[in-house]
Amino acid sequence: RPHAAGRAARWFLANFPGDVAYAYKANSTPFLIGALYGAGVRHFDVASLPELEDAKTIPDVTFHFMHPVKSRHAIRRAYQLGCRSFSLDSEDELKKIADETGNAPDLSLWIRIAVPAMDAVIPLENKFGITGQAAVRLLVKARQLAKSLGISFHVGSQTVRPQAYAAALAEAGRLIERSGVALDGIDVGGGFPARYSDDVPAPLSDFMRVIRDSFAKLPVADGCRFMCEPGRAL
């Protein structure tokens, strides 16, 4: 049903206040990718080097390598393929990215922070993400390398409560204030619920309203860009 995916993509593009990066791992069939591209999606979140190598045939799009732990080979190869946007959640990963890109001056780095899950089918806060003073220190160090620096998080897969995004953005705001760095982007990740027969999540419009209201409260400049990574929701 690629027409349904295209309709969902157009809705996200019209209602999310920023870039919509499709999570490639959710479904990478040509019919689906073609529908999303035709609807206007021009950002793709890839979680592995094979995904990026497969997706590189898509013309005129921006790729974001958003798995926070990557091999040195994957980082180096991704950069060679034109990817400039990378997620990380440790100082070791920052060093790998710096080494394997030759301290490139054109990197967009996203610091993955851990945030509490609220009614998510699959919580992810114990899998990836950095917190507290370690997150503050990583933000400061990454700012010295990155052309563009952002914070990213994932509230958990199939999250049914919009308030999860409000709590996560509030935590991002606290880390921004503590670190004192200027941010260029905020990525609210995925987690937007798809409708299944056994549950009834809040309407997606409620999620967008909460996200917009919470983003407006963050201590960031007007030019700070916003991004999301819907997968199954598309």
Side-chain angles (χ1 to χ4, degrees):
R1 299 173 62 242
H3 63 285
R7 183 172 63 243
R10 287 189 292 273
W11 189 92
F12 259 87
L13 290 166
N15 290 276
F16 182 78
D19 298 325
V20 177
Y22 173 64
Y24 195 77
K25 61 182 177 289
N27 186 330
S28 59
T29 57
F31 288 117
L32 189 283
I33 298 300
L36 298 180
Y37 189 87
V41 173
R42 293 296 183 270
H43 291 262
F44 286 82
D45 152 34
V46 293
S48 69
L49 182 57
E51 285 183 17
L52 175 59
E53 290 175 330
D54 185 60
K56 269 307 288 180
T57 58
I58 307 172
D60 303 319
V61 299
T62 300
F63 293 102
H64 306 273
F65 203 154
M66 300 307 279
H67 195 301
V69 182
K70 300 165 287 297
S71 71
R72 285 181 172 272
H73 167 70
I75 295 168
R76 183 170 62 255
R77 178 62 176 152
Y79 190 80
Q80 291 170 350
L81 289 172
C83 181
R84 298 294 183 265
S85 182
F86 298 89
S87 173
L88 62 147
D89 65 359
S90 71
E91 293 186 32
D92 286 344
E93 191 75 6
L94 178 63
K95 185 177 187 307
K96 285 194 297 183
I97 292 172
D99 290 346
E100 299 307 320
T101 63
N103 291 300
D106 57 351
L107 295 175
S108 293
L109 300 182
W110 301 88
I111 306 304
R112 172 80 172 259
I113 64 171
V115 296
M118 299 174 63
D119 292 334
V121 173
I122 303 177
L124 297 173
E125 73 270 22
N126 294 324
K127 187 175 182 181
F128 299 119
I130 192 169
T131 60
Q133 187 57 36
V136 170
R137 186 168 57 247
L138 183 56
L139 281 165
V140 172
K141 288 191 173 184
R143 179 72 275 180
Q144 299 171 39
L145 175 65
K147 177 181 180 181
S148 173
L149 179 66
I151 282 179
S152 71
F153 56 79
H154 200 301
V155 296
S157 183
Q158 193 67 11
T159 294
V160 298
R161 292 181 60 194
Q163 289 73 22
Y165 290 90
L169 286 165
E171 175 59 21
R174 287 188 285 270
L175 291 174
I176 295 169
E177 290 179 340
R178 289 176 60 186
S179 66
V181 300
L183 280 195
D184 304 294
I186 299 288
D187 173 18
V188 300
F192 298 99
R195 187 175 296 276
Y196 293 98
S197 59
D198 57 349
D199 61 18
V200 183
L204 282 174
S205 57
D206 289 357
F207 285 82
M208 298 304 161
R209 176 180 51 77
V210 168
I211 287 172
R212 282 194 298 268
D213 292 347
S214 299
F215 182 64
K217 300 174 184 177
L218 292 179
V220 295
D222 291 341
C224 183
R225 106 175 188 257
F226 217 18
M227 188 166 76
C228 66
E229 304 167 25
R232 70 184 66 202
L234 297 187

